[in-house]
Amino acid sequence: MAHDSRREDYLRMSLRFALSLDGGDPARAAREFATFGRRLARERDSLPQSDADRAFHLVSLATELVDYRLPFAGDALAETLVSRGRALLDEALSLDAGCHDAARMRFSLDTPSAEERHRFLSERADEVRAACEAERERLCDTLDEARRPLGASVAMRPWWRWLADMAECALICGRNRAAIDACERLLASDPRDLSDARFTLAYALAKLEDQPGLERLAARYPALAAPRAADDAWIRLAQIALAHKSYRLAEARRLTERLLDAYPGCAPTLIRQMEIPDGRFARIRVPAYGEDELIVAVSEGVVLLQEGMERTGKGVLGAWLARAAAELSGEKYDEGVVGP
């Protein structure tokens, strides 16, 4: 889960600071850069920065509020957090009208409809891609060879997040081929998959019952996201969904057991199947192979789990998975309870 707004804010500012030191005395530059972290934390305004840098810092502050505090806030605090988040994003756009993250997040906060969000993102996609590519060229022209890869990555990240959001909205709307197209465009632009597009892609392939496509995706994993193997919750849940839909229930059960082996102690997550809000900046960052990662994967996986009518309210696959997880782990599962 690699999109970290605070880390990216640091990278943007460090590039700007390094450029301001170029051409000067190397010893002095080394001394100056040794103080950079402290100055960024305590005296940010003393560092060189553009309005675009200031705008992204406001985006980072808004991200902490709406992606990491809001999901755990009560109603009264939630309203305050959303209001503060909107204000930060509005201020960011007043500083930099081309702050694509701020525009995307601001629209998302006011528009819960995935269909409307997908339309908004699709209509502006070419404009955002062109702007990010132009910024990449401009920035790389100013950087030395050692810094160019980082500069190019930082410049393109707003576009990658835009595409990732498009893919996720398309998946929610049932536009599975559009989701796959957005994911493949993202992977072509960022072969290292900073945005974890492979997770969304796995679910879209499962929705289309594309077993060969899912197998090809698993084979691509080492190149996309080394050193992680193709055993994360997203691809496992996609594999379970295809096995279950094809009535290969023994295989689905074996895959569920492997999923529980990769996420030890997390059977209750598969039983409860909680839904949580999607991240507005990007998919929320959580440790790999932990309970929080499984919670995120299961929440995004409701597009698979809740297919079909089932008396518990979980969906056909969701109810089967809850029972299988309970049986494999020894956890209690009350089938009379409706919903998560």
Side-chain angles (χ1 to χ4, degrees):
M1 310 281 184
H3 281 294
D4 181 340
S5 63
R6 289 182 295 183
R7 175 65 178 166
E8 194 165 325
D9 186 31
Y10 175 92
L11 292 174
R12 291 176 64 104
M13 291 292 288
S14 66
L15 282 171
R16 180 81 58 188
F17 190 57
L19 281 171
S20 74
L21 298 175
D22 284 351
D25 175 58
R28 178 178 176 276
R31 290 194 301 272
E32 288 282 337
F33 209 86
T35 68
F36 170 75
R38 178 185 58 78
R39 290 177 64 186
L40 181 64
R42 302 179 185 177
E43 303 170 326
R44 184 186 178 91
D45 289 342
S46 72
L47 294 169
Q49 57 190 302
S50 66
D51 281 346
D53 296 327
R54 294 183 179 92
F56 189 84
H57 179 60
L58 294 170
V59 166
S60 180
L61 295 177
T63 298
E64 292 301 311
L65 295 180
V66 300
D67 283 0
Y68 293 96
R69 292 185 59 190
L70 181 59
F72 308 102
D75 290 344
L77 179 56
E79 185 175 344
T80 300
L81 292 174
V82 171
S83 177
R84 178 59 179 153
R86 286 195 183 101
L88 289 167
L89 295 171
D90 286 342
E91 187 179 353
L93 288 167
S94 71
L95 287 170
D96 177 18
C99 184
H100 306 300
D101 286 307
R104 179 176 56 83
M105 293 171 68
R106 186 66 176 82
F107 189 86
S108 177
L109 282 177
D110 285 343
T111 312
S113 165
E115 190 73 47
E116 289 183 45
R117 286 166 54 201
H118 184 261
R119 188 180 306 115
F120 167 80
L121 294 166
S122 299
E123 288 172 352
R124 295 188 55 180
D126 289 342
E127 170 195 339
V128 173
R129 176 186 54 78
C132 289
E133 288 176 348
E135 175 63 13
R136 178 185 62 191
E137 296 305 311
R138 185 201 67 78
L139 189 57
C140 287
D141 283 345
T142 67
L143 295 170
D144 60 29
E145 187 174 354
R147 295 175 187 147
R148 278 178 197 146
L150 175 59
S153 173
V154 168
M156 293 301 293
R157 290 180 191 188
W159 164 236
W160 295 342
R161 287 188 286 270
W162 195 278
L163 267 180
D165 205 353
M166 270 181 61
E168 289 164 15
C169 287
L171 180 67
I172 294 168
C173 295
R175 300 172 181 265
N176 301 306
R177 296 193 188 281
I180 290 171
D181 178 67
C183 288
E184 291 292 3
R185 291 170 68 191
L186 180 48
L187 291 171
S189 181
D190 175 30
R192 297 298 298 160
D193 195 19
L194 189 72
S195 305
D196 293 334
R198 64 196 183 282
F199 296 163
T200 307
L201 180 54
Y203 284 168
L205 291 167
K207 289 288 287 183
L208 290 177
E209 300 182 37
D210 187 350
Q211 182 78 46
L214 192 62
E215 290 172 358
R216 287 193 296 271
L217 175 61
R220 293 163 68 185
Y221 257 56
L224 291 174
R228 289 190 72 171
D231 63 351
D232 59 68
W234 286 265
I235 202 157
R236 283 286 186 244
L237 286 169
Q239 291 167 339
I240 291 166
L242 287 183
H244 181 268
K245 189 163 287 190
S246 300
Y247 301 103
R248 293 178 278 123
L249 299 184
E251 180 182 347
R253 186 180 176 90
R254 284 195 300 272
L255 288 165
T256 302
E257 190 168 16
R258 291 178 192 171
L259 177 60
L260 290 171
D261 287 343
Y263 294 82
C266 292
T269 299
L270 295 181
I271 296 169
R272 291 194 303 267
Q273 298 174 22
M274 296 168 49
E275 288 188 61
I276 61 172
D278 295 330
R280 308 291 180 164
F281 178 73
R283 182 180 277 112
I284 62 172
R285 294 176 297 104
V286 289
Y289 300 109
E291 181 182 14
D292 289 343
E293 181 174 85
L294 187 57
I295 288 171
V296 174
V298 168
S299 180
E300 293 180 8
V302 297
V303 294
L304 298 171
L305 300 173
Q306 292 185 4
E307 281 187 336
M309 297 297 293
E310 206 279 336
R311 65 186 180 82
T312 67
K314 279 183 161 63
V316 175
L317 175 60
W320 180 91
L321 182 63
R323 288 193 298 272
E327 291 168 4
L328 288 166
S329 66
E331 293 282 345
K332 182 180 179 181
Y333 172 49
D334 184 353
E335 294 195 33
V337 176
V338 176

